[in-house]
C-alpha cells in the first residue's frame, strides 16, 4: 500500500482539525444567534423551551403613560404544569444589590454613615479576620474595589450553602485579600453581606426594614419582599437546576423577591430619579453604583435594565439554571433578541 503524499497528509490533518473544532463549537448559542428574528416579542418568548428554560416572564415598560406589556411561556411550576404567571414572585438574586446601594446613598445623605469611613470603623471586631479592614472604605465595598474574597467563589458553595449569614461569612474570614484596597475591581457578594451588617449596626435595626420603609413603601412597591419568609410560597415561581429534579423555590438563600412589574417600576424610578429624595442623594448614588443589574442563583436568572435610547425598561425572568452550560449565555441572547424586536418597532 502506498504511503500518503505530503499533500494528502495536510488534507487529512485539516479535516481532522476542522472536525475537532466543530465538536467544540457551542452549537446551542450559535443556533440561537442565527435563527431568524421573529416579528413579535411573544414569538421570541415562545422559544424559551428551545433555549432550555422551563418558564419565562418578560415585562416591558415603554413609559409615557403606556400600559406595561407582559409576555410569558412555559411553566410557573413544572410538576403541576402551571403556566408561567406574569404576577408570580421571583428571586431576584444580585439585583438586590441595587436596593442596598440605594440605602447606602440615602444613609450617607442623611448623615447616618460615611462612605469614606472604613469597615473596621463600623465593625471593629472584623479587624483581625479581614485583611485591610482598617483601609477598606464603605465606598470601596459598594463599588467592589475592596479585595475581600467572594464567598460564592468557595468551591461547591451552591451544592450545600451554609445555613446562616454568619456561617457564610466564616467561609472567607482569615482568607488573604485578593488585592490591595482600591487597586483593582472584583465582584464580591461578601461586600454586600458586610454592608448589610454595617447598616444594621448604625440603624439599630435590620437594614431590610430600612429598605421596606425608605424605598419600597414610598415607591408603592407592594409586590417586593425582602425575605422568603414574608411571602406565600405558592406565589413564588418555581426554580430548577439542570439535572436536578427538585423545585428550588423553598430554598432560603437571602434573596429579595419581586414581581416583574414591581422590579420594572424600581428600575424606572432609579433611572428617572424618582427613587431619590433630592439631587444630592442622586449624585451620591451615581458616584457609587450602576442603574441596571442582573441576578443568578440556582433556579433563577434575572436581567433588569433600562434602555435610554428607547426609554424602555425590560425585565426578564427565566427559571432554569446550569452553571456548567450555556444557560446564562442563552438568557442573554433571549434578552438581546427581545431588545432588537423592540428597537425595530421604535
Amino acid at each position: 500500500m502506498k504511503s500518503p503524499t505530503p499533500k494528502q497528509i495536510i488534507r487529512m490533518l485539516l479535516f481532522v482539525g476542522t472536525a475537532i473544532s466543530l465538536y467544540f463549537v457551542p452549537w446551542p448559542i450559535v443556533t440561537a444567534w442565527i435563527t431568524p428574528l421573529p416579528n413579535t416579542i411573544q414569538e421570541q418568548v415562545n422559544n424559551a423551551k428551545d433555549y432550555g428554560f422551563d418558564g419565562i416572564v418578560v415585562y416591558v415598560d415603554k413609559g409615557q403613560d403606556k400600559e406595561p406589556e407582559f409576555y410569558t411561556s412555559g411553566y410557573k411550576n413544572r410538576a403541576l404544569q402551571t403556566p408561567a404567571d406574569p404576577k408570580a414572585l421571583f428571586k431576584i438574586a444580585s439585583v438586590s444589590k441595587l436596593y442596598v446601594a440605594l440605602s447606602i446613598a440615602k444613609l450617607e445623605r442623611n448623615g447616618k454613615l460615611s462612605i469614606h469611613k472604613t469597615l473596621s470603623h463600623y465593625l471593629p471586631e472584623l479587624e483581625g479576620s479581614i485583611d485591610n479592614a482598617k483601609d477598606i472604605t464603605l465606598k470601596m465595598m459598594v463599588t467592589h474595589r475592596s479585595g475581600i474574597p467572594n464567598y460564592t467563589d468557595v468551591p461547591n458553595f451552591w451544592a450545600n450553602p451554609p445555613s446562616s449569614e454568619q456561617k457564610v461569612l466564616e467561609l472567607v474570614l482569615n482568607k488573604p485579600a485578593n488585592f490591595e484596597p482600591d487597586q483593582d475591581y472584583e465582584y464580591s457578594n461578601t461586600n454586600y453581606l458586610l454592608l448589610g451588617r454595617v447598616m444594621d449596626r448604625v440603624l439599630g435595626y435590620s437594614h431590610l426594614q430600612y429598605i421596606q420603609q425608605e424605598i419600597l413603601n414610598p415607591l408603592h412597591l407592594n409586590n417586593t419582599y425582602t425575605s422568603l419568609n414574608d411571602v406565600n410560597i405558592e406565589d413564588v415561581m418555581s426554580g430548577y437546576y439542570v439535572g436536578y429534579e427538585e423545585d428550588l423555590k423553598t430554598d432560603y438563600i437571602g434573596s429579595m423577591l419581586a414581581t416583574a412589574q414591581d422590579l420594572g417600576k424600581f428600575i424606572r424610578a432609579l433611572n428617572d430619579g424618582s427613587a431619590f429624595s433630592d439631587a444630592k442623594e442622586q449624585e451620591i448614588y451615581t458616584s457609587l453604583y450602576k442603574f441596571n443589574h442582573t441576578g443568578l442563583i440556582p433556579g433563577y436568572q434575572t436581567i433588569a435594565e433600562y434602555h435610554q435610547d428607547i426609554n424602555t425598561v425590560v425585565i426578564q425572568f427565566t427559571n432554569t439554571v446550569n452553571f456548567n452550560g450555556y444557560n446564562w449565555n442563552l438568557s442573554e441572547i433571549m434578552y438581546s433578541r427581545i431588545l432588537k424586536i423592540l428597537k425595530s418597532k421604535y
Side-chain angles (χ1 to χ4, degrees):
M1 186 171 66
K2 276 188 174 184
S3 298
T5 67
K7 283 187 178 180
Q8 289 173 324
I9 291 172
I10 290 171
R11 287 188 188 125
M12 285 190 292
L13 289 173
L14 287 172
F15 174 79
V16 171
T18 301
I20 291 172
S21 64
L22 287 173
Y23 178 80
F24 289 104
V25 168
W27 289 114
I29 293 177
V30 172
T31 301
W33 269 120
I34 66 175
T35 300
L37 197 68
N39 293 320
T40 68
I41 295 174
Q42 186 59 59
E43 287 177 281
Q44 176 61 37
V45 169
N46 287 344
N47 294 327
K49 184 178 179 181
D50 296 334
Y51 285 56
F53 301 127
D54 288 281
I56 184 172
V57 173
V58 173
Y59 166 89
V60 177
D61 161 31
K62 297 178 180 176
Q64 301 172 335
D65 299 321
K66 295 179 181 178
E67 287 295 312
E69 301 168 9
F70 300 89
Y71 305 91
T72 67
S73 74
Y75 301 113
K76 174 187 175 185
N77 184 302
R78 184 173 66 196
L80 300 177
Q81 302 282 284
T82 309
D85 180 358
K87 296 181 179 180
L89 293 171
F90 199 84
K91 297 179 185 180
I92 61 174
S94 286
V95 182
S96 306
K97 290 181 175 65
L98 294 175
Y99 302 81
V100 173
L102 178 55
S103 297
I104 293 289
K106 288 181 178 293
L107 291 168
E108 163 78 11
R109 178 70 180 98
N110 295 332
K112 301 290 186 181
L113 55 70
S114 170
I115 58 174
H116 302 295
K117 288 185 176 179
T118 65
L119 175 59
S120 65
H121 173 83
Y122 290 107
L123 302 175
E125 67 273 17
L126 295 178
E127 191 170 312
S129 54
I130 291 186
D131 277 1
N132 306 312
K134 292 191 295 184
D135 301 311
I136 295 169
T137 64
L138 299 192
K139 182 175 182 179
M140 293 175 197
M141 294 164 65
V142 177
T143 57
H144 296 292
R145 297 186 63 83
S146 70
I148 300 172
N150 179 16
Y151 62 78
T152 59
D153 288 343
V154 173
N156 299 315
F157 175 83
W158 290 115
N160 187 26
S163 58
S164 70
E165 182 184 279
Q166 178 58 32
K167 289 182 178 179
V168 169
L169 183 58
E170 288 172 0
L171 293 175
V172 297
L173 293 181
N174 303 305
K175 302 289 185 184
N178 289 348
F179 52 85
E180 291 300 303
D182 208 28
Q183 296 305 300
D184 203 346
Y185 170 91
E186 186 174 75
Y187 189 90
S188 175
N189 290 297
T190 312
N191 286 322
Y192 278 71
L193 185 156
L194 292 170
L195 287 168
R197 287 198 167 195
V198 168
M199 288 192 285
D200 292 349
R201 184 73 56 88
V202 300
L203 289 166
Y205 58 88
S206 171
H207 69 283
L208 299 179
Q209 182 181 338
Y210 182 86
I211 289 172
Q212 182 69 54
Q213 293 173 348
E214 303 299 326
I215 299 175
L216 305 185
N217 291 348
L219 293 174
H220 307 291
L221 301 178
N222 301 320
N223 293 302
T224 303
Y225 300 88
T226 58
S227 171
L228 188 67
N229 294 330
D230 298 334
V231 308
N232 180 345
I233 198 65
E234 297 307 315
D235 294 335
V236 180
M237 190 169 184
S238 294
Y240 304 100
Y241 194 89
V242 174
Y244 182 74
E245 289 302 313
E246 297 300 317
D247 188 342
L248 299 172
K249 72 177 180 181
T250 58
D251 285 11
Y252 184 85
I253 52 174
S255 173
M256 291 180 64
L257 300 96
T259 61
Q261 182 167 18
D262 251 34
L263 181 53
K265 287 179 179 178
F266 176 68
I267 296 296
R268 170 74 67 181
L270 201 60
N271 282 273
D272 71 15
S274 58
F276 305 103
S277 60
D278 57 27
K280 179 62 178 176
E281 184 178 292
Q282 186 174 19
E283 180 184 333
I284 293 168
Y285 182 89
T286 301
S287 73
L288 289 174
Y289 212 54
K290 52 191 176 180
F291 289 76
N292 302 309
H293 219 288
T294 59
L296 172 63
I297 54 176
Y300 298 88
Q301 296 180 147
T302 301
I303 301 178
E305 296 183 355
Y306 169 70
H307 303 277
Q308 186 175 12
D309 56 336
I310 56 173
N311 187 30
T312 299
V313 173
V314 181
I315 307 297
Q316 178 180 286
F317 293 157
T318 50
N319 69 342
T320 313
V321 171
N322 182 4
F323 292 156
N324 298 316
Y326 305 121
N327 191 264
W328 175 257
N329 307 85
L330 289 167
S331 72
E332 291 184 311
I333 292 171
M334 172 69 76
Y335 190 93
S336 69
R337 288 168 68 85
I338 289 169
L339 199 57
K340 284 179 182 177
I341 294 168
L342 279 168
K343 291 185 176 183
S344 71
K345 300 178 184 303
Y346 185 72

